[in-house]
Amino acid sequence: MTPRHTVIGRSVPRIDGREKVTGAAKYTGDLKFPNMLHGKILTSPHAHARILAIDTSEAERLPGVKAVVTHRDVPSLKYGISPARWDENIFCIDKVRFVGDKVAAVACVDEETCYRALRLIRVEYEPLPAVLDFRRAMDEDAPQVHDEYARNINTEIHQSFGDIEAAFAQAHHVRTDAFLGQRTYQAPIEPHSAISMWEGGKLTVYSSTQSPHYFQYYIAREFGLPMGDVRVIKPYLGGGFGGKLEPTGLEFAGAALARITGRPVRMFYDRAEMFAHNRGRHAQYMEITTGVTKEGKILGAHANFLMDGGAYTSLGIATAYYAGALLPLTYEFDHYKFDLYRVYTNLPACGAQRGHGAPQPKYAFESHLDNVAADLGLDPMDIRLVNARRPNTVTPNDFGINSCELKRCLERTREISGWDAKKGKLPRGRGIGVATGSFVSGAGYPIYRTDLPHSAVVLKVNQDGTSATLYTGAPDIGQGSDTVLCQMAAEAMGYRYEQMRIVAADTETCPMDLGAYSSRQTLMTGAAAKQAGEEVRRQVLEAASGMLGVPADDLDCADGVVFSRSHPEKTATFEEAARRHFVLHGPLVGKGSYKPPKLGGTFKGAPVGTSPAYSFGVQAAEVQIDEETGEITVLDVWDVHDCGTVINPRLLHGQVHGALAMGMGETVWEQVVFDENGAIKNPDLANYRIPTALDMPRVHSEVVDSHEPAGPWGVKEIGEGATNPTMGCFSNAIFDAMGVRVNSLPLSYEKVWRALRDKREGR
């Protein structure tokens, strides 16, 4: 960090910290409005069934019921988040496709009446055979989830770069491994809820959403409204991790019920419904083949994946492309082939979860690479150093890499973890493993086709200069983006962070922003905030020039003080100069926007995975295995990241801790389990085991010096990228401790125990 920075690079307190720790913060579910009704959705008990009849008459007669809606009462336009596969209706029309699919909804005077009304809706079903195993979904005799998609193929990808067969022919060693990833769920602390209300022809929705703009766009499209007649407001939000990125039945059903009743309608998912509707991580089969030289240099790799998409597309097309697109980021090789099928099944749809599409493939590749190293007798750290990506390179699938300090991350991890003293020298049952990761700092292209900027902000200084308010559509979902954006705006203005205010995530009062996903806000919204701040700064210096009798180009501003470079005794406060500007010219306002340059190649699917900048990171873990029970104890984790310039160190390390916790849970404990009828067996936080603070190991988080030319002040992402190495490093540490590999997630105690038993018995 250069000394001239007075705001960025500091661990300032969160701008929303007081409200959150005192309980003053209001989340969507806390809000109440006059005459507000409560709404709930009736869902399918069948994994696959034809709807023969729906009778709502008895429910409609129940006292306290104000409206009952089915597909007959709402638009029939299909929706989704990927225009290439809009395949979902507000309510099912002809058949249901998973246990939990949306059939009808009620609006009532209270929640208790809602549940009674749902029990009175009579739905006549004709049960149909269901496909519950994604590995059987493409069989010729498999049931069809959607008639228009033959063999249940939702997405089919075949990409080839270079000559993979020639690379394998030249290789000293070629190895193939297969791994299985499981379904997981994001588990945000705040369940999803929405409150909808109409005033005249205008719809307002309060929603716990990661993207007010996408909600505004898709709700307007569904109800045939101009976007200006839809207002989406995000109150405080308790975590999303991808599960709150897309419009859900809550917003659509709530809007329909509110229009019919003329009253605000509050809808919410309980925890079990969250499991069914929040579009968690895909299960997938991952086969990877790699050819290497005898020194371990990778010549080429082939990734061949099969992915369980569930009943609808959701964000799955992007997930599918991400699964293969991001694999060549961390290691340099010229020949790469990627094949994937994403298939429909009669299970809840899968979508985006922290690290979108990348963590499980990265787990597979990093585990596979350790197998290759073992075949060649190489140290796992050394084979990664041999192949580590360098700065100013291009991946085989045309992603341009600017800054990249992966090699330094590896070297630093080796040093602080004591790798050389531990690898192969630890006591029986203890092991150490390493893995790398990389992620986009924002997606290069929006989810729907538009030429609008990806981020825009307005910065307004109060007339007396004593405060400044940043208006942005970017939602803080708990990661601290409001704080970071205010730091960046204040730095650009030459202002003090403590005087910053923020109004965020209201489509009516704030300029648009694509939202909180793809780890994009620090770079993209931050670039817009920097631009707006610099515009304010310029106007302040011009006003101060007249006050001090000094040319504006001789003036600078830092920490709320305007000063002359040539005559340091000549100063004015930011407040004085800002007030002078207001007297002379009216409101002191700055504007900023950001749109990525054209990125990537021209082949099919080329936009997915493009980004103006990529983070890089390395994690190592030391684990202890109880050979009698298979219990895994994670002792220490080391994370060393290249994430460019750090805006707020405390928030950065908090992101690393959170990512490690999620990754550790997915590696060892977490899995959504279904019964033989397609119903979720563990849709609660008692039986779906996520780590708590008591489960966390010692975490050692560091960054290396790095500057990204594409980012404001050189920033890159950290929030999602820190998830990518975790499964791989734990898998490799467990492999090192046991001497045998478990090839399916989660690496549960039972699987570890069985692997150790098989090893002892020579199976």
Side-chain angles (χ1 to χ4, degrees):
M1 187 64 56
T2 58
R4 62 188 176 86
H5 295 144
T6 58
V7 185
I8 65 172
R10 292 170 50 205
S11 294
V12 301
R14 291 181 64 123
I15 202 165
D16 55 0
R18 179 181 294 275
E19 287 75 12
K20 288 188 171 176
V21 300
T22 60
K26 298 297 183 186
Y27 297 78
T28 302
D30 296 325
L31 302 180
K32 294 181 174 60
F33 294 90
N35 293 319
M36 187 172 77
L37 298 172
H38 300 263
K40 286 298 291 181
I41 295 175
L42 178 70
T43 59
S44 164
H46 300 285
H48 199 196
R50 200 176 314 282
I51 298 174
L52 301 179
I54 304 176
D55 182 358
T56 62
S57 57
E58 193 174 354
E60 291 168 2
R61 290 194 294 271
L62 181 69
V65 174
K66 299 301 180 184
V68 182
V69 291
T70 69
H71 69 88
R72 296 185 291 263
D73 308 297
V74 298
S76 60
L77 187 67
K78 289 187 175 180
Y79 72 90
I81 200 75
S82 298
R85 287 287 187 279
W86 282 331
D87 56 8
E88 195 165 358
N89 290 105
I90 296 178
F91 297 115
C92 299
I93 296 174
D94 54 348
K95 65 179 185 177
V96 294
R97 293 178 171 85
F98 71 96
V99 177
D101 215 349
K102 308 176 298 295
V103 177
V106 299
C108 308
V109 294
D110 53 42
E111 289 181 23
E112 183 179 351
T113 305
C114 286
Y115 290 114
R116 293 175 61 197
L118 293 181
R119 289 193 291 270
L120 296 176
I121 298 174
R122 309 300 178 199
V123 185
E124 186 179 350
Y125 294 104
E126 176 193 352
L128 299 171
V131 53
L132 304 178
D133 183 349
F134 71 98
R135 288 165 291 189
R136 303 264 65 87
M138 291 196 299
D139 290 354
E140 292 295 337
D141 58 349
Q144 279 288 118
V145 180
H146 294 266
D147 293 339
E148 56 268 51
Y149 299 109
R151 297 177 61 209
N152 292 316
I153 297 174
N154 169 264
T155 306
E156 182 175 356
I157 303 171
H158 303 288
Q159 296 178 338
S160 184
F161 310 96
D163 187 340
I164 192 65
E165 296 303 328
F168 288 165
Q170 296 169 11
H172 168 75
H173 179 59
V174 177
R175 179 182 174 106
T176 299
D177 286 305
F179 301 88
L180 193 62
Q182 84 282 36
R183 279 177 173 252
T184 57
Y185 158 67
Q186 299 95 341
I189 194 169
E190 178 208 15
H192 196 109
S193 58
I195 300 172
S196 303
M197 60 191 76
W198 292 79
E199 184 175 355
K202 181 180 176 182
L203 171 65
T204 298
V205 182
Y206 292 81
S207 176
S208 46
T209 171
Q210 293 180 229
S211 178
H213 174 74
Y214 281 140
F215 268 38
Q216 183 190 31
Y217 174 79
Y218 282 105
I219 291 174
R221 174 185 173 274
E222 189 69 14
F223 286 92
L225 298 169
M227 287 181 72
D229 283 347
V230 177
R231 181 182 185 184
V232 178
I233 304 169
K234 177 208 72 71
Y236 284 95
L237 195 147
F241 312 110
K244 297 176 181 174
L245 181 55
E246 57 187 294
T248 72
L250 292 186
E251 285 80 15
F252 292 130
L257 289 166
R259 183 156 63 177
I260 291 171
T261 61
R263 296 168 63 172
V265 176
R266 170 183 175 270
M267 310 280 295
F268 73 99
Y269 285 141
D270 60 27
R271 186 60 68 179
E273 291 167 336
M274 289 279 287
F275 273 81
H277 292 276
N278 265 58
R279 316 295 163 101
R281 202 179 303 286
H282 295 64
Q284 55 191 307
Y285 170 84
M286 300 163 286
E287 181 185 279
I288 295 179
T289 303
T290 300
V292 296
T293 68
K294 62 182 178 180
E295 294 81 17
K297 181 75 182 74
I298 300 171
L299 299 179
H302 178 200
N304 184 26
F305 294 171
L306 178 64
M307 185 175 277
D308 176 8
Y312 298 105
T313 299
S314 179
L315 279 154
I317 293 178
T319 315
Y321 277 99
Y322 268 128
L326 301 187
L327 273 182
L329 283 173
T330 54
Y331 304 121
E332 292 185 17
F333 48 87
D334 297 328
H335 308 283
Y336 179 54
K337 187 178 182 186
F338 172 47
D339 297 299
L340 180 144
Y341 288 94
R342 181 183 189 269
V343 295
Y344 286 113
T345 60
N346 291 114
L347 295 173
C350 297
Q353 186 166 334
R354 195 173 190 169
H356 198 180
Q360 288 189 356
K362 195 60 179 162
Y363 145 75
F365 198 95
E366 292 293 315
S367 301
H368 168 72
L369 192 58
D370 260 32
N371 290 345
V372 172
D375 292 345
L376 298 176
L378 297 175
D379 184 296
M381 195 70 83
D382 290 338
I383 196 170
R384 287 169 173 80
L385 283 164
V386 165
N387 291 288
R389 180 161 297 285
R390 297 162 295 174
N392 303 311
T393 54
V394 178
T395 68
N397 49 346
D398 287 342
F399 297 163
I401 308 297
N402 304 315
S403 61
C404 175
E405 300 295 340
L406 181 60
K407 184 179 178 184
R408 288 174 57 201
C409 291
L410 283 162
E411 292 169 341
R412 182 60 181 160
T413 303
R414 181 174 217 153
E415 179 183 350
I416 64 175
S417 68
W419 178 273
D420 291 333
K422 294 176 179 176
K423 180 61 181 173
K425 306 179 182 73
L426 290 170
R428 178 172 175 159
R430 184 174 290 194
I432 188 169
V434 64
T436 67
S438 178
F439 201 66
V440 299
S441 300
Y445 294 82
I447 291 174
Y448 72 94
R449 290 184 180 179
T450 176
D451 58 358
L452 293 170
H454 291 209
S455 292
V457 307
V458 171
L459 191 52
K460 181 175 77 68
V461 181
N462 195 52
Q463 60 271 13
D464 66 354
T466 56
S467 67
T469 303
L470 181 69
Y471 294 85
T472 171
D476 190 324
I477 63 172
Q479 82 282 41
S481 64
D482 282 359
T483 302
V484 167
L485 293 174
C486 282
Q487 284 186 261
M488 298 174 85
E491 181 70 48
M493 294 166 65
Y495 203 47
R496 286 186 289 271
Y497 165 77
E498 292 77 10
Q499 293 173 264
M500 291 297 302
R501 312 288 182 266
I502 188 166
V503 175
D506 178 342
T507 58
E508 188 128 308
T509 60
C510 303
M512 69 155 287
D513 188 280
L514 293 183
Y517 67 93
S518 294
S519 241
R520 56 180 297 283
Q521 285 170 296
T522 303
L523 191 148
M524 294 188 172
T525 315
K530 181 174 185 286
Q531 185 183 11
E534 290 170 344
E535 186 176 339
V536 168
R537 182 195 196 99
R538 178 183 56 76
Q539 296 172 83
V540 165
L541 297 185
E542 288 174 356
S545 172
M547 295 167 61
L548 300 175
V550 175
D553 60 6
D554 184 45
L555 294 174
D556 204 348
C557 185
D559 201 25
V561 178
V562 182
F563 58 92
S564 165
R565 296 191 188 92
S566 60
H567 299 85
E569 74 280 6
K570 293 191 173 185
T571 63
T573 66
F574 186 99
E575 290 87 342
E576 291 170 335
R579 186 179 186 284
R580 183 65 178 168
H581 174 92
F582 201 97
V583 169
L584 295 176
H585 307 292
L588 176 52
V589 176
K591 304 187 301 296
S593 63
Y594 177 82
K595 185 176 184 180
K598 181 173 173 53
L599 298 165
T602 57
F603 55 89
K604 184 180 179 182
V608 182
T610 58
S611 179
Y614 298 88
S615 70
F616 293 87
V618 175
Q619 289 176 356
E622 184 173 342
V623 302
Q624 176 75 48
I625 307 295
D626 185 326
E627 297 190 8
E628 293 299 318
T629 65
E631 183 175 359
I632 303 162
T633 302
V634 183
L635 303 173
D636 288 274
V637 179
W638 298 267
D639 181 291
V640 181
H641 246 84
D642 161 17
C643 49
T645 299
V646 178
I647 302 299
N648 188 311
R650 183 187 296 129
L651 289 178
L652 178 140
H653 294 302
Q655 287 287 307
V656 172
H657 282 235
L660 277 168
M662 293 187 74
M664 193 169 78
E666 289 189 59
T667 307
V668 182
W669 296 301
E670 297 180 34
Q671 181 173 22
V672 180
V673 182
F674 298 89
D675 67 16
E676 66 277 12
N677 297 313
I680 301 174
K681 295 172 67 175
N682 56 343
D684 57 71
L685 298 184
N687 294 293
Y688 183 88
R689 298 186 56 210
I690 60 175
T692 70
L694 297 177
D695 298 306
M696 287 297 289
R698 293 182 292 268
V699 177
H700 314 268
S701 173
E702 290 192 8
V703 297
V704 297
D705 287 339
S706 172
H707 185 275
E708 169 54 49
W713 291 290
V715 304
K716 296 196 284 188
E717 75 87 36
I718 185 68
E720 296 195 64
T723 304
N724 282 349
T726 310
M727 297 182 201
C729 88
F730 286 163
S731 170
N732 289 335
I734 294 168
F735 174 53
D736 186 52
M738 299 199 307
V740 291
R741 174 81 66 184
V742 176
N743 282 5
S744 66
L745 293 169
L747 309 175
S748 64
Y749 300 166
E750 179 182 346
K751 290 179 184 174
V752 169
W753 176 83
R754 291 185 183 281
L756 286 168
R757 181 199 60 183
D758 292 347
K759 179 186 176 186
R760 283 194 300 269
E761 297 176 358
R763 297 185 185 180

